[in-house]
Amino acid sequence: MTDADADGSRDENDPSTRNDLEWTDPNTFTSALERADTREKGHYFEDFAEGDVIQHDPGLRLTRWGNELWTSQTLNHDPAYWRADVARDRGFDEPPIHPDYLLAATLGCTVEDLSEKGGYFLGRTNVRFPADVVAPGTDLRVESEVLTTKGSNSRPDYGIVTWATRGYDAGTGKTLCAYERTNMIPRRERLETDGSGAEADGGGRPSDTERPASALPETFVTPAGDAFEDFEAALETAENRDAVVAYRHERGRTMDDVTVATLPLATLNTAKQHHNTDAMADAPSGGIVAYGDVTRSTALGHARSDERTHREVGFEDERFHAFVTPGDTVYCFTRVLETSRETTTVNERAGTVRFQHVAFNQRDEPVYSGIRTAEILTRDD
Ligand SMILES: CC(C)(COP(=O)(O)OP(=O)(O)OC[C@H]1O[C@@H](n2cnc3c(N)ncnc32)[C@H](O)[C@@H]1OP(=O)(O)O)[C@@H](O)C(=O)NCCC(=O)NCCSC(=O)C[C@](C)(O)C(=O)O
């Protein structure tokens, strides 16, 4: 007991008496929060320098549970990823890890280092899957290199960063997937611009080569079936006419708690955009949004339900055009651009198709688009 206690008075400067504070009294606690520093997570735009290489701990184990959670909820219901007998028919020893889950998991565990501070996933290109098959139980090691950093003239509170990321089998060192991703990243210091709308530091988004609506082709051709030959025949039907092979898929998926929050967290994606409504209230989206890879995979799931997918080869020019928020429904529209009898794996039962997929919402607004190359099985498989 101190002398101060003995005469009934308290010495506010004596550290031992502060333990008697009612820390959970609402007024005391509010003042305490105002005075406390926040142990921040993530990195600002200024923290990234071109050429930096970042190892993303802790990586992730690609589990059958994660695979099934992802593929079931995004409607990627190809039985080769679920049933051992169908997997064996397709040349796999067991149901493998789905490429969408592999890609989302590779990106997910980079978020803590690259984009947890905030800002949005704008696009991705050069997506490749060098490994023919990835088995459940594979430990994923992920590494990124900063490719470019530039200011955003239209949004002075943000910069735009592009990273090249690779996911490796931690056991063998083999590359499982690789891509280049671009994000808006908050700046520590706001960029002063001349307001002219000119590029801040050069660069910019890929130009849009679509024709205006008034110039849409007269005829829209839909493939008669889901096999490679059906896509080939549809393109032949459209050839030399004012026609395009383009159609929509009936299925839609309304974004709920599982797709918006559970799926990204299951890939260790710590972006507040997907699970912290409080922090997102003042963000440009005004609330939480779906992980770009969930939106994309859901749309691709709809597209794959109308084709005999054998293997994903790669993706180019993926873009996220608008936010997808809880309650929004994700649909898909597909264009067939090109077919080829060549395949990257020796598979006489498949051909290669290049698609453009556009994910859109219940208001028919595009939310994602990308060019996809995939091997599609022939009818007589
Ligand atoms: C963000 C919004 C509001 C900006 O909309 P806006 O109208 O203000 O601007 P914009 O014109 O679309 O783009 C802003 C700037 O970005 C540039 N830009 C744009 N795209 C590209 C690209 N591909 N490559 C290079 N640069 C690009 C563009 O050139 C422009 O530069 P400027 O400011 O200097 O003029 C709007 O684009 C939007 O709503 N997009 C949807 C974003 C979204 O929902 N993404 C997926 C969810 S977020 C996510 O998954 C997160 C993740 C995975 O967890 C995680 O990274 O941590």
Side-chain angles (χ1 to χ4, degrees):
M1 185 178 283
T2 64
D3 291 346
D5 288 336
D7 69 9
S9 66
R10 280 164 63 103
D11 178 356
E12 290 296 328
N13 294 322
D14 179 349
S16 64
T17 62
R18 280 182 219 141
N19 291 334
D20 300 335
L21 270 176
E22 280 296 339
W23 282 87
T24 53
D25 169 79
N27 290 333
T28 308
F29 189 62
T30 305
S31 309
L33 280 184
E34 280 165 7
R35 295 172 63 175
D37 283 341
T38 298
R39 299 283 300 270
E40 290 197 34
K41 291 285 184 203
H43 299 285
Y44 287 99
F45 172 74
E46 291 87 342
D47 298 329
F48 297 103
E50 292 178 10
D52 283 356
V53 175
I54 302 149
Q55 300 291 334
H56 305 292
D57 293 329
L60 192 79
R61 170 161 283 204
L62 297 163
T63 61
R64 190 174 297 291
W65 170 80
N67 205 38
E68 292 181 353
L69 178 69
W70 187 279
T71 52
S72 62
Q73 295 305 309
T74 55
L75 284 93
N76 279 287
H77 295 176
D78 180 343
Y81 294 91
W82 295 85
R83 279 175 45 187
D85 58 332
V86 182
R88 276 193 296 274
D89 279 353
R90 294 262 290 275
F92 306 128
D93 293 339
E94 60 178 322
I97 292 297
H98 193 281
D100 287 7
Y101 171 55
L102 170 65
L103 187 61
T106 304
L107 197 157
C109 58
T110 70
V111 167
E112 183 171 0
D113 295 321
L114 304 187
S115 47
E116 181 168 347
K117 188 54 80 192
Y120 298 94
F121 183 11
L122 293 172
R124 183 172 49 198
T125 198
N126 290 336
V127 181
R128 295 289 178 272
F129 305 100
D132 279 344
V133 59
V134 179
T138 301
D139 287 321
L140 189 60
R141 178 175 74 76
V142 183
E143 179 184 279
S144 298
E145 180 181 347
V146 181
L147 289 185
T148 59
T149 62
K150 72 182 190 80
S152 163
N153 204 49
S154 61
R155 291 180 178 262
D157 293 329
Y158 293 89
I160 296 166
V161 184
T162 300
W163 305 275
T165 295
R166 274 177 184 271
Y168 301 94
D169 179 328
T172 64
K174 202 165 143 187
T175 303
L176 306 180
C177 97
Y179 60 81
E180 290 161 27
R181 141 162 99 121
T182 301
N183 266 60
M184 268 170 41
I185 297 292
R187 284 177 171 276
R188 192 176 278 114
E189 302 291 340
R190 184 186 168 90
L191 180 73
E192 296 307 326
T193 67
D194 62 6
S196 66
E199 291 293 333
D201 305 331
R205 72 190 306 173
S207 69
D208 196 85
T209 51
E210 296 302 298
R211 294 195 285 181
S214 56
L216 280 173
E218 195 177 303
T219 308
F220 278 45
V221 177
T222 307
D226 56 7
F228 172 74
E229 299 89 327
D230 298 308
F231 295 105
E232 202 176 40
L235 276 181
E236 277 166 22
T237 305
E239 206 175 329
N240 302 324
R241 295 169 53 196
D242 187 18
V244 63
V245 182
Y247 45 99
R248 53 196 288 179
H249 306 274
E250 184 177 356
R251 285 182 180 163
R253 168 71 159 108
T254 302
M255 293 292 115
D256 57 15
D257 285 349
V258 171
T259 47
V260 175
T262 306
L263 291 188
L265 286 171
T267 68
L268 306 188
N269 179 337
T270 51
K272 56 173 92 61
Q273 286 100 318
H274 316 308
H275 62 257
N276 186 338
T277 334
D278 177 42
M280 292 304 290
D282 297 328
S285 55
I288 57 173
V289 300
Y291 175 20
D293 266 327
V294 168
T295 301
R296 158 200 193 271
S297 182
T298 302
L300 295 177
H302 302 330
R304 292 178 184 126
S305 74
D306 290 323
E307 64 182 48
R308 298 188 189 194
T309 326
H310 171 57
R311 183 172 172 268
E312 298 297 327
V313 177
F315 292 79
E316 311 299 332
D317 199 11
E318 294 195 286
R319 298 194 219 171
F320 294 94
H321 303 274
F323 301 123
V324 174
T325 57
D328 280 351
T329 302
V330 173
Y331 294 98
C332 186
F333 171 91
T334 292
R335 284 172 61 203
V336 178
L337 306 177
E338 209 179 338
T339 59
S340 155
R341 289 269 166 176
E342 305 276 304
T343 55
T344 55
T345 52
V346 183
N347 191 332
E348 290 167 7
R349 301 183 308 162
T352 302
V353 182
R354 207 156 64 88
F355 299 97
Q356 182 189 38
H357 299 291
V358 180
F360 62 97
N361 62 21
Q362 67 281 7
R363 295 180 296 279
D364 294 348
E365 296 158 345
V367 293
Y368 158 88
S369 63
I371 305 293
R372 164 174 170 248
T373 305
E375 292 179 6
I376 308 296
L377 294 169
T378 52
R379 199 172 299 119
D380 32 297
D381 59 312

